[in-house]
Amino acid sequence: ELKRSENLGVEVSVSVDPLDKENRRWRCELTLDLKPDKDSDSAYTFHLVLVGFFYVLEDYPASGVRLLAKTNCPAVLYSTAREMLITVVRRSPFTPVLIPSLTFLEVEEKKSQMKRAKRKQSSAKKVKE
């Protein structure tokens, strides 16, 4: 699960999980919370949860399916959430808020790097024993 805070007070939580053994069907849940600081001039507070179901085509290489799902599924839901929010906020008498653009690729790369580092550490411990 990803939790990320942006400078606007937007917290994003993401969960992306396979629904089958072949990792071709995926469920993605994205939660957005806007909790502005007391010093902020934002008139909005919101909690938005989007759930999407995705399918990766059979001709897509199996080695890249997991990364594709973990990065693109939340990106689709996030862009949908941005559009939903701007549509609602545009009708308000207050200053509009637009949540910032976000990429999920760097998060997956960092997770992979952390897993590799942990494996190296556990391998080094085994060698010492």
Side-chain angles (χ1 to χ4, degrees):
E1 181 168 307
L2 159 75
K3 287 203 178 216
R4 182 173 180 152
S5 293
E6 297 295 335
N7 50 355
L8 288 176
V10 178
E11 187 176 281
V12 181
S13 300
V14 176
S15 173
V16 183
D17 300 300
L19 293 174
D20 58 21
K21 284 196 254 181
E22 294 80 30
N23 289 341
R24 294 290 170 172
R25 295 182 322 132
W26 293 80
R27 179 189 183 277
C28 179
E29 183 174 312
L30 178 122
T31 303
L32 288 173
D33 284 296
L34 175 65
K35 299 174 186 168
D37 296 335
K38 59 183 175 189
D39 300 331
S40 173
D41 61 351
S42 177
Y44 306 101
T45 298
F46 61 80
H47 175 78
L48 180 64
V49 179
L50 291 148
V51 177
F53 295 91
F54 299 86
Y55 179 76
V56 179
L57 298 176
E58 294 294 329
D59 59 346
Y60 194 84
S63 62
V65 168
R66 184 172 194 76
L67 181 61
L68 177 75
K70 294 278 190 172
T71 57
N72 287 6
C73 295
V76 168
L77 293 183
Y78 189 79
S79 64
T80 302
R82 289 180 83 213
E83 288 300 314
M84 290 171 68
L85 290 171
I86 197 63
T87 299
V88 171
V89 169
R90 183 177 18 215
R91 296 179 184 267
S92 167
F94 304 108
T95 305
V97 64
L98 177 64
I99 59 175
S101 296
L102 183 63
T103 179
F104 295 90
L105 181 59
E106 65 192 30
V107 174
E108 280 307 306
E109 288 175 343
K110 286 179 184 176
K111 282 183 182 178
S112 295
Q113 289 172 354
M114 289 173 60
K115 285 180 183 177
R116 284 193 297 271
K118 285 182 182 178
R119 273 190 245 132
K120 283 182 184 179
Q121 286 176 350
S122 65
S123 296
K125 286 180 182 177
K126 288 179 183 177
V127 170
K128 287 181 182 180
E129 294 173 355

